[in-house]
Amino acid sequence: RISEDATGLVITASKGKENSLYYLIMPKKGRPQTSYLIFKSKELVQDPVISADGLLTCFTVSVNAKRSGFRIIIIENKKKKILKDCFFRTDELWMPLAFSKNETGNKCVLGLSNIGSGYRPVFFNLENEKLKIEGDKLFKGDVFVLNWLEKNRKLLICNLYNGHQQLYLYDINLKQ
């Protein structure tokens, strides 16, 4: 994944039983100037997403069979510092898609999860470290986020149910 201003890039790499996450600083043209190892784990590192300004990275780590669940980790890229490391004991999955702010201005990460009934947009609030399902009662079937619109207030989503696809524009503030 690459930052919005195209100055930062986050990649995952695996060697043997070790999984790593690297942050690369990109010049305007050419090869990366610098790369940093920002996270290493024996557990699977998945779905890294970098903030638009390139300062933060969010990703998930699958947890082994003894502690079924996943961790959501937020790292401050240049300092290589873990800001959040939250464990959720569940069989469901969560995949980060993009950083944003919620209706109260708190930083959050929009993700997609199979928590509840089918796939739904789910926000991870960095302040209170909670997951919040969006539009769970409004849709049947799976809901996929296609794009953010109007300064991250609206989501273009696709509802897939009984072989039919329907597109909706969902207003996060109005919950409709």
Side-chain angles (χ1 to χ4, degrees):
R1 305 280 175 112
I2 193 163
S3 63
E4 207 169 85
D5 62 3
T7 60
L9 175 69
V10 176
I11 62 169
T12 56
S14 298
K15 184 178 179 185
K17 293 183 179 183
E18 214 167 67
N19 299 287
S20 303
L21 188 66
Y22 291 90
Y23 175 70
L24 290 78
I25 297 175
M26 305 293 290
K28 296 287 183 206
K29 294 181 182 178
R31 299 164 51 105
Q33 290 177 331
T34 310
S35 65
Y36 301 97
L37 174 66
I38 58 174
F39 187 79
K40 190 184 282 190
S41 174
K42 291 191 191 260
E43 298 165 324
L44 183 60
V45 176
Q46 302 175 101
D47 309 310
V49 171
I50 191 168
S51 61
D53 58 13
L55 298 176
L56 302 174
T57 295
C58 177
F59 57 96
T60 58
V61 174
S62 295
V63 177
N64 64 30
K66 291 184 216 170
R67 295 178 51 211
S68 179
F70 62 90
R71 292 165 55 202
I72 296 176
I73 300 175
I74 309 273
I75 290 188
E76 194 172 347
N77 292 327
K78 291 183 182 174
K79 292 183 179 178
K80 301 178 249 180
K81 177 182 172 190
I82 295 177
L83 296 178
K84 301 286 179 183
D85 187 348
C86 303
F87 175 72
F88 294 89
R89 184 178 297 280
T90 178
D91 291 330
E92 288 86 7
L93 304 170
W94 184 80
M95 177 180 69
L97 299 173
F99 279 84
S100 184
K101 292 182 180 177
N102 63 16
E103 62 274 4
T104 60
N106 292 333
K107 286 185 181 176
C108 60
V109 180
L110 169 66
L112 188 66
S113 179
N114 61 347
I115 294 171
S117 56
Y119 282 95
R120 295 288 184 267
V122 177
F123 286 93
F124 173 67
N125 185 314
L126 275 66
E127 310 300 324
N128 64 19
E129 301 178 355
K130 295 193 189 259
L131 293 173
K132 179 183 174 197
I133 300 173
E134 255 333 296
D136 193 41
K137 308 254 189 286
L138 296 176
F139 304 104
K140 294 180 180 177
D142 293 328
V143 176
F144 297 97
V145 177
L146 302 178
N147 203 356
W148 285 78
L149 302 166
E150 297 182 30
K151 296 186 180 181
N152 299 338
R153 282 189 35 243
K154 295 184 180 180
L155 300 174
L156 177 61
I157 57 176
C158 176
N159 186 37
L160 181 60
Y161 181 65
N162 283 341
H164 297 280
Q165 294 179 351
Q166 294 177 301
L167 295 178
Y168 293 95
L169 191 57
Y170 181 78
D171 189 304
I172 295 167
N173 296 332
L174 298 176
K175 309 284 187 236
Q176 61 184 21

